Amino acid sequence: QVRLVQSGGGVVHPGRSLRLSCAASGFNFKRTAMHWVRQAPGKGLEWVAVISYDGRTDYYGDSVRGRLTVSRDNSRDTTFLQMKNLRHDDTAVYYCVRDVGYQLDFWGQGTQVTVSS
Amino acid sequence: IQLTQSPPYLSASPGDRVTITCRASQDVNRYLAWYQQKPGQVPKLLIYGASKLQSGVPSRFSGSGSGTDFTLTISGLQSEDFATYYCEQVNEYPHSFGGGTKVDIK
């Protein structure tokens, strides 16, 4: 069955870095674009980033562009979200999400990132 | 692209017909999706392509619209439908979500 297992969250100080991972199984990861979506405490969903199936193309939300970088390793069926220069307002649950063609149809379990001094 | 959902909150009774609207600041064709999220749970895709029902989603959920105006309708609200609903445009990057509509029990 489809699985997206996330790891790498935690508590970090402002200005520090963190890398999130999302390991996929149960589908053809190498042919699938992957997104990241986040949700701040008590708030709505915010789209963060996407990476194409081959890793050649990526796009970012306005609030994270230049600080967050999405990547993937198709040999390990894993996508990553590198987060640098973290701010308090980056505190959120981060989800990786599968894209099967204009459909974000399967979401990882989410990982908590807390930026706190 | 900004997505404006209305209403932000909605109180309804089991069996009610509920309609949530999503308005886009520019044309998104039919590239709009709807999600349901219950407290402490991961969002669940309900509708994609404005009106296509995701596999496994009950037929009481339906979507309509194109261009800038969209609706999600729940025909015959059931207890398990009390949740927050979000629209998302997938027409262009960056994608964007609406602010959400919380449906609770009257």
mmCIF file of all heavy atoms in Angstrom, chain A residues 25-71:
data_model
loop_
_atom_site.group_PDB
_atom_site.id
_atom_site.type_symbol
_atom_site.label_atom_id
_atom_site.label_comp_id
_atom_site.label_asym_id
_atom_site.label_seq_id
_atom_site.Cartn_x
_atom_site.Cartn_y
_atom_site.Cartn_z
ATOM 1 N N SER A 25 6.852 4.605 -0.367
ATOM 2 C CA SER A 25 6.788 3.213 -0.795
ATOM 3 C C SER A 25 5.382 2.918 -1.287
ATOM 4 O O SER A 25 4.442 3.660 -0.996
ATOM 5 C CB SER A 25 7.170 2.263 0.346
ATOM 6 O OG SER A 25 6.292 2.416 1.433
ATOM 7 N N GLY A 26 5.273 1.844 -2.080
ATOM 8 C CA GLY A 26 3.961 1.409 -2.539
ATOM 9 C C GLY A 26 3.482 2.042 -3.831
ATOM 10 O O GLY A 26 2.357 1.781 -4.266
ATOM 11 N N PHE A 27 4.312 2.870 -4.447
ATOM 12 C CA PHE A 27 3.950 3.463 -5.736
ATOM 13 C C PHE A 27 5.233 3.831 -6.466
ATOM 14 O O PHE A 27 6.330 3.775 -5.903
ATOM 15 C CB PHE A 27 3.040 4.684 -5.558
ATOM 16 C CG PHE A 27 3.670 5.860 -4.844
ATOM 17 C CD1 PHE A 27 4.183 6.933 -5.557
ATOM 18 C CD2 PHE A 27 3.736 5.892 -3.462
ATOM 19 C CE1 PHE A 27 4.764 8.020 -4.898
ATOM 20 C CE2 PHE A 27 4.311 6.964 -2.787
ATOM 21 C CZ PHE A 27 4.829 8.035 -3.517
ATOM 22 N N ASN A 28 5.099 4.224 -7.721
ATOM 23 C CA ASN A 28 6.262 4.549 -8.534
ATOM 24 C C ASN A 28 6.743 5.965 -8.223
ATOM 25 O O ASN A 28 6.398 6.930 -8.912
ATOM 26 C CB ASN A 28 5.929 4.415 -10.026
ATOM 27 C CG ASN A 28 7.155 4.504 -10.899
ATOM 28 O OD1 ASN A 28 8.261 4.826 -10.425
ATOM 29 N ND2 ASN A 28 7.003 4.227 -12.173
ATOM 30 N N PHE A 29 7.528 6.078 -7.185
ATOM 31 C CA PHE A 29 8.008 7.385 -6.719
ATOM 32 C C PHE A 29 8.762 8.117 -7.822
ATOM 33 O O PHE A 29 8.645 9.342 -7.959
ATOM 34 C CB PHE A 29 8.902 7.185 -5.495
ATOM 35 C CG PHE A 29 9.478 8.445 -4.923
ATOM 36 C CD1 PHE A 29 8.732 9.253 -4.089
ATOM 37 C CD2 PHE A 29 10.789 8.819 -5.222
ATOM 38 C CE1 PHE A 29 9.267 10.418 -3.556
ATOM 39 C CE2 PHE A 29 11.330 9.974 -4.696
ATOM 40 C CZ PHE A 29 10.568 10.785 -3.861
ATOM 41 N N LYS A 30 9.532 7.393 -8.589
ATOM 42 C CA LYS A 30 10.395 8.013 -9.603
ATOM 43 C C LYS A 30 9.605 8.737 -10.696
ATOM 44 O O LYS A 30 10.176 9.514 -11.451
ATOM 45 C CB LYS A 30 11.293 6.948 -10.237
ATOM 46 C CG LYS A 30 12.214 6.283 -9.235
ATOM 47 C CD LYS A 30 12.892 5.088 -9.831
ATOM 48 C CE LYS A 30 13.820 4.392 -8.833
ATOM 49 N NZ LYS A 30 13.165 3.999 -7.571
ATOM 50 N N ARG A 31 8.319 8.484 -10.818
ATOM 51 C CA ARG A 31 7.480 9.130 -11.820
ATOM 52 C C ARG A 31 6.473 10.082 -11.197
ATOM 53 O O ARG A 31 5.536 10.511 -11.877
ATOM 54 C CB ARG A 31 6.729 8.070 -12.630
ATOM 55 C CG ARG A 31 7.624 7.099 -13.378
ATOM 56 C CD ARG A 31 8.502 7.822 -14.389
ATOM 57 N NE ARG A 31 7.710 8.521 -15.404
ATOM 58 C CZ ARG A 31 8.236 9.367 -16.297
ATOM 59 N NH1 ARG A 31 9.541 9.613 -16.275
ATOM 60 N NH2 ARG A 31 7.455 9.951 -17.188
ATOM 61 N N THR A 32 6.685 10.445 -9.946
ATOM 62 C CA THR A 32 5.685 11.194 -9.190
ATOM 63 C C THR A 32 6.248 12.499 -8.645
ATOM 64 O O THR A 32 7.272 12.494 -7.945
ATOM 65 C CB THR A 32 5.159 10.348 -8.011
ATOM 66 O OG1 THR A 32 4.666 9.100 -8.512
ATOM 67 C CG2 THR A 32 4.042 11.065 -7.271
ATOM 68 N N ALA A 33 5.557 13.608 -8.944
ATOM 69 C CA ALA A 33 5.912 14.874 -8.309
ATOM 70 C C ALA A 33 5.501 14.835 -6.837
ATOM 71 O O ALA A 33 4.535 14.153 -6.469
ATOM 72 C CB ALA A 33 5.202 16.040 -9.008
ATOM 73 N N MET A 34 6.242 15.567 -6.024
ATOM 74 C CA MET A 34 5.967 15.576 -4.586
ATOM 75 C C MET A 34 5.887 17.015 -4.084
ATOM 76 O O MET A 34 6.686 17.870 -4.476
ATOM 77 C CB MET A 34 7.070 14.828 -3.829
ATOM 78 C CG MET A 34 7.147 13.339 -4.155
ATOM 79 S SD MET A 34 5.693 12.405 -3.664
ATOM 80 C CE MET A 34 5.737 12.585 -1.885
ATOM 81 N N HIS A 35 4.922 17.242 -3.202
ATOM 82 C CA HIS A 35 4.699 18.562 -2.632
ATOM 83 C C HIS A 35 4.998 18.543 -1.132
ATOM 84 O O HIS A 35 4.997 17.490 -0.492
ATOM 85 C CB HIS A 35 3.234 18.985 -2.794
ATOM 86 C CG HIS A 35 2.783 19.142 -4.201
ATOM 87 N ND1 HIS A 35 2.458 20.363 -4.741
ATOM 88 C CD2 HIS A 35 2.589 18.224 -5.186
ATOM 89 C CE1 HIS A 35 2.068 20.199 -5.996
ATOM 90 N NE2 HIS A 35 2.142 18.898 -6.286
ATOM 91 N N TRP A 36 5.176 19.736 -0.593
ATOM 92 C CA TRP A 36 5.213 19.970 0.846
ATOM 93 C C TRP A 36 4.162 21.027 1.175
ATOM 94 O O TRP A 36 4.077 22.066 0.497
ATOM 95 C CB TRP A 36 6.591 20.415 1.299
ATOM 96 C CG TRP A 36 7.621 19.331 1.229
ATOM 97 C CD1 TRP A 36 8.390 18.996 0.151
ATOM 98 C CD2 TRP A 36 7.990 18.426 2.278
ATOM 99 N NE1 TRP A 36 9.221 17.946 0.471
ATOM 100 C CE2 TRP A 36 8.998 17.580 1.763
ATOM 101 C CE3 TRP A 36 7.591 18.254 3.610
ATOM 102 C CZ2 TRP A 36 9.599 16.575 2.539
ATOM 103 C CZ3 TRP A 36 8.183 17.262 4.370
ATOM 104 C CH2 TRP A 36 9.175 16.436 3.834
ATOM 105 N N VAL A 37 3.397 20.758 2.203
ATOM 106 C CA VAL A 37 2.350 21.656 2.690
ATOM 107 C C VAL A 37 2.542 21.776 4.202
ATOM 108 O O VAL A 37 2.900 20.795 4.855
ATOM 109 C CB VAL A 37 0.948 21.096 2.372
ATOM 110 C CG1 VAL A 37 -0.144 21.965 2.993
ATOM 111 C CG2 VAL A 37 0.749 20.969 0.863
ATOM 112 N N ARG A 38 2.296 22.945 4.761
ATOM 113 C CA ARG A 38 2.452 23.092 6.201
ATOM 114 C C ARG A 38 1.201 23.684 6.830
ATOM 115 O O ARG A 38 0.359 24.276 6.149
ATOM 116 C CB ARG A 38 3.677 23.936 6.535
ATOM 117 C CG ARG A 38 3.565 25.401 6.189
ATOM 118 C CD ARG A 38 4.887 26.107 6.491
ATOM 119 N NE ARG A 38 4.818 27.547 6.231
ATOM 120 C CZ ARG A 38 5.845 28.378 6.375
ATOM 121 N NH1 ARG A 38 7.038 27.919 6.780
ATOM 122 N NH2 ARG A 38 5.697 29.671 6.114
ATOM 123 N N GLN A 39 1.112 23.527 8.145
ATOM 124 C CA GLN A 39 -0.038 24.023 8.897
ATOM 125 C C GLN A 39 0.446 24.521 10.250
ATOM 126 O O GLN A 39 0.861 23.730 11.098
ATOM 127 C CB GLN A 39 -1.084 22.924 9.067
ATOM 128 C CG GLN A 39 -2.387 23.391 9.682
ATOM 129 C CD GLN A 39 -3.481 22.354 9.547
ATOM 130 O OE1 GLN A 39 -3.245 21.151 9.590
ATOM 131 N NE2 GLN A 39 -4.712 22.806 9.362
ATOM 132 N N ALA A 40 0.408 25.829 10.424
ATOM 133 C CA ALA A 40 0.787 26.427 11.709
ATOM 134 C C ALA A 40 -0.274 26.082 12.755
ATOM 135 O O ALA A 40 -1.424 25.780 12.414
ATOM 136 C CB ALA A 40 0.930 27.935 11.551
ATOM 137 N N PRO A 41 0.092 26.140 14.013
ATOM 138 C CA PRO A 41 -0.850 25.776 15.080
ATOM 139 C C PRO A 41 -2.157 26.552 14.989
ATOM 140 O O PRO A 41 -2.149 27.791 14.961
ATOM 141 C CB PRO A 41 -0.081 26.124 16.357
ATOM 142 C CG PRO A 41 1.347 26.072 15.979
ATOM 143 C CD PRO A 41 1.409 26.512 14.551
ATOM 144 N N GLY A 42 -3.265 25.832 14.913
ATOM 145 C CA GLY A 42 -4.580 26.460 14.868
ATOM 146 C C GLY A 42 -4.907 27.193 13.594
ATOM 147 O O GLY A 42 -5.924 27.905 13.521
ATOM 148 N N LYS A 43 -4.066 27.037 12.574
ATOM 149 C CA LYS A 43 -4.251 27.770 11.318
ATOM 150 C C LYS A 43 -4.607 26.833 10.175
ATOM 151 O O LYS A 43 -4.679 25.613 10.341
ATOM 152 C CB LYS A 43 -2.976 28.549 10.979
ATOM 153 C CG LYS A 43 -2.552 29.532 12.056
ATOM 154 C CD LYS A 43 -3.575 30.627 12.275
ATOM 155 C CE LYS A 43 -3.076 31.651 13.283
ATOM 156 N NZ LYS A 43 -4.083 32.727 13.538
ATOM 157 N N GLY A 44 -4.778 27.413 9.003
ATOM 158 C CA GLY A 44 -5.117 26.641 7.817
ATOM 159 C C GLY A 44 -3.897 26.077 7.119
ATOM 160 O O GLY A 44 -2.760 26.169 7.606
ATOM 161 N N LEU A 45 -4.145 25.475 5.977
ATOM 162 C CA LEU A 45 -3.085 24.859 5.188
ATOM 163 C C LEU A 45 -2.367 25.909 4.364
ATOM 164 O O LEU A 45 -2.990 26.832 3.822
ATOM 165 C CB LEU A 45 -3.683 23.790 4.271
ATOM 166 C CG LEU A 45 -4.447 22.674 4.970
ATOM 167 C CD1 LEU A 45 -5.130 21.777 3.935
ATOM 168 C CD2 LEU A 45 -3.526 21.853 5.847
ATOM 169 N N GLU A 46 -1.053 25.741 4.255
ATOM 170 C CA GLU A 46 -0.238 26.632 3.427
ATOM 171 C C GLU A 46 0.626 25.781 2.506
ATOM 172 O O GLU A 46 1.418 24.954 2.976
ATOM 173 C CB GLU A 46 0.648 27.541 4.282
ATOM 174 C CG GLU A 46 1.518 28.478 3.447
ATOM 175 C CD GLU A 46 2.505 29.298 4.270
ATOM 176 O OE1 GLU A 46 2.634 29.040 5.491
ATOM 177 O OE2 GLU A 46 3.150 30.209 3.696
ATOM 178 N N TRP A 47 0.510 25.992 1.215
ATOM 179 C CA TRP A 47 1.341 25.279 0.255
ATOM 180 C C TRP A 47 2.768 25.814 0.332
ATOM 181 O O TRP A 47 2.980 27.045 0.349
ATOM 182 C CB TRP A 47 0.777 25.455 -1.150
ATOM 183 C CG TRP A 47 1.494 24.655 -2.177
ATOM 184 C CD1 TRP A 47 1.291 23.354 -2.495
ATOM 185 C CD2 TRP A 47 2.545 25.119 -3.022
ATOM 186 N NE1 TRP A 47 2.153 22.969 -3.496
ATOM 187 C CE2 TRP A 47 2.940 24.033 -3.834
ATOM 188 C CE3 TRP A 47 3.213 26.334 -3.169
ATOM 189 C CZ2 TRP A 47 3.943 24.131 -4.776
ATOM 190 C CZ3 TRP A 47 4.215 26.436 -4.117
ATOM 191 C CH2 TRP A 47 4.574 25.332 -4.907
ATOM 192 N N VAL A 48 3.743 24.902 0.357
ATOM 193 C CA VAL A 48 5.139 25.288 0.572
ATOM 194 C C VAL A 48 5.992 25.127 -0.688
ATOM 195 O O VAL A 48 6.680 26.066 -1.102
ATOM 196 C CB VAL A 48 5.751 24.461 1.720
ATOM 197 C CG1 VAL A 48 7.262 24.707 1.840
ATOM 198 C CG2 VAL A 48 5.050 24.778 3.038
ATOM 199 N N ALA A 49 5.964 23.928 -1.282
ATOM 200 C CA ALA A 49 6.888 23.672 -2.385
ATOM 201 C C ALA A 49 6.469 22.418 -3.143
ATOM 202 O O ALA A 49 5.694 21.593 -2.649
ATOM 203 C CB ALA A 49 8.314 23.500 -1.851
ATOM 204 N N VAL A 50 7.044 22.284 -4.336
ATOM 205 C CA VAL A 50 6.851 21.087 -5.146
ATOM 206 C C VAL A 50 8.153 20.786 -5.872
ATOM 207 O O VAL A 50 8.930 21.706 -6.185
ATOM 208 C CB VAL A 50 5.708 21.278 -6.173
ATOM 209 C CG1 VAL A 50 6.018 22.401 -7.155
ATOM 210 C CG2 VAL A 50 5.396 19.979 -6.912
ATOM 211 N N ILE A 51 8.399 19.501 -6.117
ATOM 212 C CA ILE A 51 9.534 19.086 -6.941
ATOM 213 C C ILE A 51 9.021 18.103 -7.980
ATOM 214 O O ILE A 51 8.194 17.227 -7.678
ATOM 215 C CB ILE A 51 10.673 18.493 -6.090
ATOM 216 C CG1 ILE A 51 11.893 18.215 -6.959
ATOM 217 C CG2 ILE A 51 10.222 17.239 -5.327
ATOM 218 C CD1 ILE A 51 13.180 17.981 -6.161
ATOM 219 N N SER A 52 9.485 18.277 -9.204
ATOM 220 C CA SER A 52 9.053 17.402 -10.294
ATOM 221 C C SER A 52 9.571 15.986 -10.081
ATOM 222 O O SER A 52 10.466 15.743 -9.256
ATOM 223 C CB SER A 52 9.546 17.948 -11.625
ATOM 224 O OG SER A 52 10.964 17.996 -11.640
ATOM 225 N N TYR A 53 9.036 15.072 -10.858
ATOM 226 C CA TYR A 53 9.377 13.662 -10.670
ATOM 227 C C TYR A 53 10.869 13.398 -10.827
ATOM 228 O O TYR A 53 11.433 12.534 -10.168
ATOM 229 C CB TYR A 53 8.592 12.805 -11.655
ATOM 230 C CG TYR A 53 9.044 12.934 -13.097
ATOM 231 C CD1 TYR A 53 9.929 12.016 -13.641
ATOM 232 C CD2 TYR A 53 8.610 13.988 -13.899
ATOM 233 C CE1 TYR A 53 10.369 12.138 -14.943
ATOM 234 C CE2 TYR A 53 9.046 14.120 -15.200
ATOM 235 C CZ TYR A 53 9.920 13.195 -15.727
ATOM 236 O OH TYR A 53 10.364 13.335 -17.023
ATOM 237 N N ASP A 54 11.525 14.181 -11.712
ATOM 238 C CA ASP A 54 12.941 13.959 -11.987
ATOM 239 C C ASP A 54 13.850 14.908 -11.222
ATOM 240 O O ASP A 54 15.071 14.890 -11.399
ATOM 241 C CB ASP A 54 13.214 14.066 -13.490
ATOM 242 C CG ASP A 54 12.810 15.414 -14.058
ATOM 243 O OD1 ASP A 54 12.345 16.270 -13.289
ATOM 244 O OD2 ASP A 54 12.930 15.602 -15.276
ATOM 245 N N GLY A 55 13.255 15.761 -10.399
ATOM 246 C CA GLY A 55 14.049 16.676 -9.595
ATOM 247 C C GLY A 55 14.560 17.900 -10.321
ATOM 248 O O GLY A 55 15.280 18.716 -9.736
ATOM 249 N N ARG A 56 14.196 18.061 -11.576
ATOM 250 C CA ARG A 56 14.760 19.162 -12.379
ATOM 251 C C ARG A 56 14.045 20.487 -12.159
ATOM 252 O O ARG A 56 14.592 21.550 -12.449
ATOM 253 C CB ARG A 56 14.698 18.799 -13.856
ATOM 254 C CG ARG A 56 15.597 17.650 -14.245
ATOM 255 C CD ARG A 56 15.574 17.416 -15.742
ATOM 256 N NE ARG A 56 16.460 16.303 -16.136
ATOM 257 C CZ ARG A 56 16.677 15.954 -17.384
ATOM 258 N NH1 ARG A 56 16.089 16.595 -18.377
ATOM 259 N NH2 ARG A 56 17.489 14.949 -17.647
ATOM 260 N N THR A 57 12.807 20.414 -11.677
ATOM 261 C CA THR A 57 12.001 21.630 -11.536
ATOM 262 C C THR A 57 11.423 21.701 -10.134
ATOM 263 O O THR A 57 10.948 20.693 -9.602
ATOM 264 C CB THR A 57 10.846 21.637 -12.562
ATOM 265 O OG1 THR A 57 11.381 21.449 -13.867
ATOM 266 C CG2 THR A 57 10.084 22.952 -12.515
ATOM 267 N N ASP A 58 11.477 22.901 -9.558
ATOM 268 C CA ASP A 58 10.846 23.097 -8.254
ATOM 269 C C ASP A 58 10.223 24.492 -8.204
ATOM 270 O O ASP A 58 10.613 25.403 -8.933
ATOM 271 C CB ASP A 58 11.838 22.876 -7.110
ATOM 272 C CG ASP A 58 13.114 23.693 -7.244
ATOM 273 O OD1 ASP A 58 13.191 24.578 -8.121
ATOM 274 O OD2 ASP A 58 14.052 23.454 -6.462
ATOM 275 N N TYR A 59 9.244 24.621 -7.353
ATOM 276 C CA TYR A 59 8.557 25.899 -7.137
ATOM 277 C C TYR A 59 8.312 26.049 -5.646
ATOM 278 O O TYR A 59 8.207 25.052 -4.931
ATOM 279 C CB TYR A 59 7.211 25.952 -7.869
ATOM 280 C CG TYR A 59 7.305 25.891 -9.366
ATOM 281 C CD1 TYR A 59 7.205 24.679 -10.030
ATOM 282 C CD2 TYR A 59 7.507 27.048 -10.120
ATOM 283 C CE1 TYR A 59 7.284 24.613 -11.409
ATOM 284 C CE2 TYR A 59 7.583 26.986 -11.503
ATOM 285 C CZ TYR A 59 7.474 25.769 -12.128
ATOM 286 O OH TYR A 59 7.560 25.705 -13.500
ATOM 287 N N TYR A 60 8.189 27.325 -5.221
ATOM 288 C CA TYR A 60 8.067 27.616 -3.798
ATOM 289 C C TYR A 60 6.995 28.659 -3.529
ATOM 290 O O TYR A 60 6.720 29.525 -4.368
ATOM 291 C CB TYR A 60 9.411 28.122 -3.255
ATOM 292 C CG TYR A 60 10.505 27.104 -3.397
ATOM 293 C CD1 TYR A 60 11.296 27.047 -4.540
ATOM 294 C CD2 TYR A 60 10.706 26.145 -2.400
ATOM 295 C CE1 TYR A 60 12.281 26.080 -4.685
ATOM 296 C CE2 TYR A 60 11.695 25.175 -2.535
ATOM 297 C CZ TYR A 60 12.467 25.143 -3.683
ATOM 298 O OH TYR A 60 13.429 24.180 -3.822
ATOM 299 N N GLY A 61 6.440 28.586 -2.323
ATOM 300 C CA GLY A 61 5.561 29.641 -1.868
ATOM 301 C C GLY A 61 6.352 30.904 -1.563
ATOM 302 O O GLY A 61 7.552 30.849 -1.256
ATOM 303 N N ASP A 62 5.676 32.029 -1.621
ATOM 304 C CA ASP A 62 6.357 33.321 -1.459
ATOM 305 C C ASP A 62 7.044 33.445 -0.101
ATOM 306 O O ASP A 62 8.119 34.042 0.003
ATOM 307 C CB ASP A 62 5.346 34.459 -1.629
ATOM 308 C CG ASP A 62 4.825 34.565 -3.055
ATOM 309 O OD1 ASP A 62 5.464 34.012 -3.963
ATOM 310 O OD2 ASP A 62 3.768 35.197 -3.243
ATOM 311 N N SER A 63 6.435 32.889 0.940
ATOM 312 C CA SER A 63 6.963 33.091 2.288
ATOM 313 C C SER A 63 8.200 32.241 2.591
ATOM 314 O O SER A 63 8.883 32.483 3.595
ATOM 315 C CB SER A 63 5.878 32.802 3.324
ATOM 316 O OG SER A 63 5.506 31.438 3.272
ATOM 317 N N VAL A 64 8.503 31.270 1.727
ATOM 318 C CA VAL A 64 9.634 30.369 2.013
ATOM 319 C C VAL A 64 10.715 30.425 0.945
ATOM 320 O O VAL A 64 11.804 29.875 1.143
ATOM 321 C CB VAL A 64 9.152 28.904 2.175
ATOM 322 C CG1 VAL A 64 8.062 28.814 3.230
ATOM 323 C CG2 VAL A 64 8.697 28.304 0.850
ATOM 324 N N ARG A 65 10.414 31.061 -0.172
ATOM 325 C CA ARG A 65 11.383 31.077 -1.284
ATOM 326 C C ARG A 65 12.701 31.687 -0.827
ATOM 327 O O ARG A 65 12.742 32.740 -0.189
ATOM 328 C CB ARG A 65 10.803 31.874 -2.453
ATOM 329 C CG ARG A 65 11.582 31.717 -3.741
ATOM 330 C CD ARG A 65 10.890 32.428 -4.896
ATOM 331 N NE ARG A 65 9.588 31.836 -5.179
ATOM 332 C CZ ARG A 65 8.426 32.476 -5.011
ATOM 333 N NH1 ARG A 65 8.423 33.707 -4.555
ATOM 334 N NH2 ARG A 65 7.292 31.882 -5.290
ATOM 335 N N GLY A 66 13.788 30.975 -1.127
ATOM 336 C CA GLY A 66 15.116 31.443 -0.744
ATOM 337 C C GLY A 66 15.598 30.883 0.582
ATOM 338 O O GLY A 66 16.799 30.966 0.887
ATOM 339 N N ARG A 67 14.701 30.326 1.378
ATOM 340 C CA ARG A 67 15.104 29.754 2.662
ATOM 341 C C ARG A 67 14.853 28.254 2.733
ATOM 342 O O ARG A 67 15.577 27.532 3.433
ATOM 343 C CB ARG A 67 14.348 30.423 3.812
ATOM 344 C CG ARG A 67 14.568 31.909 3.945
ATOM 345 C CD ARG A 67 13.883 32.466 5.190
ATOM 346 N NE ARG A 67 12.447 32.195 5.175
ATOM 347 C CZ ARG A 67 11.852 31.371 6.031
ATOM 348 N NH1 ARG A 67 12.538 30.746 6.961
ATOM 349 N NH2 ARG A 67 10.544 31.199 5.959
ATOM 350 N N LEU A 68 13.844 27.768 2.037
ATOM 351 C CA LEU A 68 13.543 26.341 2.016
ATOM 352 C C LEU A 68 13.858 25.794 0.625
ATOM 353 O O LEU A 68 13.572 26.461 -0.379
ATOM 354 C CB LEU A 68 12.068 26.085 2.362
ATOM 355 C CG LEU A 68 11.700 25.992 3.863
ATOM 356 C CD1 LEU A 68 12.082 27.230 4.639
ATOM 357 C CD2 LEU A 68 10.232 25.654 4.029
ATOM 358 N N THR A 69 14.407 24.609 0.596
ATOM 359 C CA THR A 69 14.778 23.971 -0.658
ATOM 360 C C THR A 69 14.292 22.526 -0.657
ATOM 361 O O THR A 69 14.599 21.765 0.265
ATOM 362 C CB THR A 69 16.298 23.984 -0.871
ATOM 363 O OG1 THR A 69 16.777 25.334 -0.832
ATOM 364 C CG2 THR A 69 16.661 23.357 -2.220
ATOM 365 N N VAL A 70 13.565 22.171 -1.703
ATOM 366 C CA VAL A 70 13.082 20.798 -1.836
ATOM 367 C C VAL A 70 14.029 20.032 -2.756
ATOM 368 O O VAL A 70 14.560 20.599 -3.732
ATOM 369 C CB VAL A 70 11.627 20.780 -2.357
ATOM 370 C CG1 VAL A 70 11.497 21.453 -3.714
ATOM 371 C CG2 VAL A 70 11.076 19.366 -2.370
ATOM 372 N N SER A 71 14.244 18.789 -2.444
ATOM 373 C CA SER A 71 15.088 17.931 -3.269
ATOM 374 C C SER A 71 14.559 16.508 -3.189
ATOM 375 O O SER A 71 13.614 16.234 -2.437
ATOM 376 C CB SER A 71 16.549 17.998 -2.817
ATOM 377 O OG SER A 71 16.667 17.518 -1.478
#
